[in-house]
Structures are given as structure tokens and as C-alpha cells.
Amino acid sequence: MPSPTKKMKKPWAWLCAAAALVVAASLVAFSQYVRLETTSPSAARAQAASTARTLSGGVDCREAKCVALTFDAGPSEHSARLLDILKEKDVPATFFLLGKRHIEKYPELVERMADEGHEVANHTWDHKRLTELEPDEIREEIERPNKAIERIVGRRPTLMRPPQGRTNDTVHDICRELGMSEILWSVTAKDYKTDDSELIEQRVLDQTDRDGIILLHDIYDGTVPAVPGIIDALKERGFVFVTVPQLLAPGKAEPGKVYR
């Protein structure tokens, strides 16, 4: 008769093997983010020639304490009010726009964003995780909004934000091919989890430092009402609001590179 120890051996071996697989999978997932090479705004500026001129707008982020407001996944029914606020506060922003149900639904807001001096950028067509797609599907997700935006404003975007920040070497290569740079963020209010405008504002203020790239979503009910307080408080702290290209100037975002 087999001993109890021998009876337990196989189940225990299976449990060990399963645990090892879980750990390995976790490490692979974790390594995607740990090993991701990103360039900071200050590094982008430093890489430019010291005599290079800044972008038009008169803000030199080598001297000023700059910060960039960015909004994902619009335009939406809240975007007109947001544009009113930004105009009243004299603040430029960068809009990473979705194609399906957004660009195609609100082309007049896309045009207004560009006309009022905001940076119009790409957040894919249908918000699919690019890291889970085949190369041709990735290319399609990026190119469709590029073409839609170009039809509306007369120029192609050069900046792209991957949904959920998920990216890899294949995405980098395709972005390089399409002349796109990837822009991540350093500040998030996680406004997709709450409609509490005061909480959204406080989260942004707690995290923002010089060269911050602030991620917000103008599709959620609590976000736009938080924007005036965010702007006023950061201005009181001496921050100057710029678009992402202005934040990098006199450097320029290079296709295939990731900035945060």
C-alpha cells in the first residue's frame, strides 16, 4: 500500500507547477512595464541643440515650471463645455481622440479644438489593446483616426496615446513607420472610477510636479467640473500650462519613441 507521502506527491507537484506558471506569467506582464524605455520631457529638451528655438507661444519649459493637461477618449457631449473653460482660462491642452463614436460623431468639436490652439492627437479608432492585436490590426487602429482627423483639420496627428498605456516593440515599430510618437502620462486622477469632482481635483493636485503630463477623460461626468479648480490651483503654484509638443520644446517627439 502506498504511503501517505507518496499519495501526496503528485498533487503537491501539480500545485508547485501551477504556482510557478502564475509567477512566471506575472513576471512577464510586469516586465512589459518595467523594461519600457521612456523619455522624459526634460530629457527631450536636453537632447535638442542648446540654441534651438522654442515653439511658437513664447513658453520656454527649460525655464518655466510647465505642465500639460491631456484629455483622452473624446470628443464627447462634455467637450464643448471643457473648451469654453480652457478658452476662459487661456489654457492649451492636448486631446487624444477616439475615432469610433467620437471623432465621427463630433467633427465640429475636433475642428474647434484645432482652431483654438489645442493639440489634436490620436487615441486609436476603437480603444482596443494594441498589445493584443496583429500588426495589420494595430496599423488600422492608428491610421483610421489619423485619416479622419486630417480630413477635418487638414493635418495628420503626430502623437498617439495607446489605450491603457499598453505598448510593446511591435507598437513602437508601427508608430515609427507611421511617423507617430507615443505619449504616456505621469499624473492620473483615475476619473474613470469616480464622478466625484473634488476627489478628481485633489488627486491631480497631489501628484502634479514640474513637467507633469496629466491624464484626464472628458467623457466622464465628474471630470470637466474638476478642471477649473485644477487650473486655478496649479496656476497659484506657479505652473504654466502647455501642450505636449511645447512641453518637449525645443526638442521634438521622435516617431517610435515613448514619452512620459
Side-chain angles (χ1 to χ4, degrees):
M1 182 175 176
S3 69
T5 304
K6 287 183 179 178
K7 280 185 177 180
M8 292 292 293
K9 191 171 183 180
K10 273 195 173 181
W12 178 249
W14 279 107
L15 285 171
C16 289
L21 285 172
V22 170
V23 171
S26 301
L27 288 173
V28 168
F30 183 64
S31 68
Q32 286 186 340
Y33 298 95
V34 172
R35 296 176 186 173
L36 179 62
E37 291 186 8
T38 63
T39 301
S40 68
S42 60
R45 295 194 297 265
Q47 289 166 8
S50 59
T51 56
R53 298 176 63 186
T54 59
L55 296 180
S56 60
V59 179
D60 187 344
C61 294
R62 293 171 295 188
E63 304 294 334
K65 192 166 72 169
C66 293
V67 65
L69 268 180
T70 72
F71 296 91
D72 281 13
S76 74
E77 65 271 20
H78 304 301
S79 299
R81 174 60 185 143
L82 174 59
L83 288 169
D84 290 343
I85 293 168
L86 296 174
K87 187 174 184 179
E88 177 189 341
K89 302 286 186 182
D90 193 24
V91 166
T94 303
F95 288 91
F96 292 92
L97 304 182
L98 272 177
K100 190 175 181 181
R101 299 182 297 276
H102 295 273
I103 294 171
E104 63 181 3
K105 186 175 181 179
Y106 301 100
E108 73 285 352
L109 290 175
V110 178
E111 185 174 18
R112 183 180 168 190
M113 289 168 182
D115 288 347
E116 295 183 0
H118 304 292
E119 185 72 17
V120 178
N122 182 324
H123 195 42
T124 73
W125 185 256
D126 202 21
H127 208 263
K128 294 176 180 175
R129 294 177 181 176
L130 299 181
T131 52
E132 298 175 3
L133 303 179
E134 295 298 320
D136 286 347
E137 295 173 306
I138 297 171
R139 196 173 286 105
E140 177 76 2
E141 273 290 296
I142 297 172
E143 268 294 85
R144 284 189 72 182
N146 278 351
K147 292 176 180 177
I149 290 169
E150 186 174 23
R151 282 194 297 270
I152 297 168
V153 306
R155 61 182 181 275
R156 288 169 59 88
T158 59
L159 307 180
M160 189 276 289
R161 176 167 284 161
Q164 300 180 3
R166 294 174 182 264
T167 187
N168 57 24
D169 288 342
T170 303
V171 177
H172 307 335
D173 290 343
I174 291 171
C175 283
R176 186 177 299 109
E177 170 196 325
L178 298 176
M180 308 290 290
S181 306
E182 297 171 67
I183 309 297
L184 301 182
W185 58 89
S186 56
V187 178
T188 176
K190 296 186 178 179
D191 52 351
Y192 48 87
K193 290 186 174 182
T194 180
D195 285 336
D196 185 336
S197 298
E198 290 185 4
L199 178 59
I200 292 168
E201 178 182 339
Q202 193 57 53
R203 285 174 173 175
V204 171
L205 298 182
D206 287 346
Q207 297 174 54
T208 301
D209 206 342
R210 183 173 184 169
D211 291 336
I213 300 176
I214 300 169
L215 167 62
L216 293 167
H217 300 77
D218 48 327
I219 58 173
Y220 298 120
D221 292 342
T223 300
V224 172
V227 171
I230 290 170
I231 291 173
D232 291 345
L234 290 179
K235 281 185 174 181
E236 286 178 7
R237 297 180 185 181
F239 287 98
V240 178
F241 289 91
V242 294
T243 64
V244 169
Q246 289 172 326
L247 187 65
L248 304 181
K252 290 185 177 181
E254 298 179 21
K257 292 187 71 173
V258 184
Y259 296 83
R260 173 160 49 196

